[in-house]
Amino acid sequence: MIYWHIFMAFFIPGILGYGGGPSSIPLVQQEVVEHYGWMTNQEFSEMVAAGNALPGPIATKMAGFVGYDQAGILGIIVAVFATVAPSLILMIALLSVLMKYKESPYVKNLTKYIRPIIAVLLLVMTFDFAKDAWLSIGWISTLIIMIGAYLLLEKFKIHPAFVICIALIYGMVSTLF
């Protein structure tokens, strides 16, 4: 039964996660943290941070991590397949239709109206992560990391992997004092 749960936990976000990895993160969080209770919000945020520091799509990295954590090697296979199966099925079934209507104003408008929904999903997840950080490491450290990360990413254009590493070092050093 665990393999079916793993499959569904990643197949559903694979279907609904329009646009790829970032839009599927809140959906995977809902399944993994809220629905199945395989991780805490803190563990999930750490998994996402570590996954973002590695190359490749975040959705398959999350699937691999959770799949292995819950059911070993076969769990990885099931979770990663469930993550890519919706795209694979749609690509095979709808490629000719997509090519025929890709310039349609209806298709272009569809993506315009989905983007705000994805933005809200990511914002809600961000607030959840910030609240958890606030409660676990305090408001001063949370603000230092949030403001520092924003400046490093937006003003200095530092790669996200390096920003995550800096935050990890800050966390390690701050626990010493």
Side-chain angles (χ1 to χ4, degrees):
M1 196 66 171
I2 187 67
Y3 298 113
W4 176 250
H5 289 161
I6 291 171
F7 181 84
M8 292 309 292
F10 289 96
F11 187 75
I12 293 169
I15 292 171
L16 301 175
Y18 177 82
S23 64
S24 68
I25 294 172
L27 302 171
V28 172
Q29 179 194 27
Q30 172 63 31
E31 295 297 316
V32 170
V33 176
E34 304 296 330
H35 185 229
Y36 292 107
W38 291 331
M39 297 179 149
T40 65
N41 220 13
Q42 176 72 27
E43 292 167 333
F44 185 83
S45 65
E46 290 169 1
M47 175 189 65
V48 171
N52 275 324
L54 300 171
I58 188 67
T60 53
K61 290 181 281 190
M62 290 187 304
F65 183 90
V66 173
Y68 183 78
D69 186 50
Q70 293 303 306
I73 300 296
L74 188 55
I76 292 173
I77 295 167
V78 170
V80 172
F81 177 73
T83 301
V84 299
S87 297
L88 183 64
I89 293 165
L90 283 175
M91 283 187 343
I92 292 169
L94 300 175
L95 186 59
S96 63
V97 175
L98 178 63
M99 294 308 289
K100 184 176 179 181
Y101 296 107
K102 72 179 180 179
E103 296 301 321
S104 165
Y106 296 112
V107 173
K108 288 182 179 182
N109 279 336
L110 174 71
T111 60
K112 288 179 187 175
Y113 288 102
I114 289 177
R115 286 182 184 154
I117 294 167
I118 294 168
V120 169
L121 288 170
L122 290 170
L123 187 62
V124 168
M125 185 183 69
T126 300
F127 281 125
D128 286 343
F129 285 177
K131 181 183 74 172
D132 288 347
W134 194 286
L135 295 173
S136 64
I137 64 173
W139 66 274
I140 294 173
S141 289
T142 300
L143 286 178
I144 289 170
I145 292 171
M146 289 173 69
I147 293 168
Y150 179 79
L151 291 174
L152 290 172
L153 291 168
E154 294 299 318
K155 183 172 176 147
F156 299 108
K157 305 297 183 199
I158 304 293
H159 191 277
F162 294 121
V163 176
I164 291 169
C165 289
I166 291 167
L168 289 171
I169 292 167
Y170 174 82
M172 184 176 63
V173 170
S174 70
T175 58
L176 298 174
F177 301 105

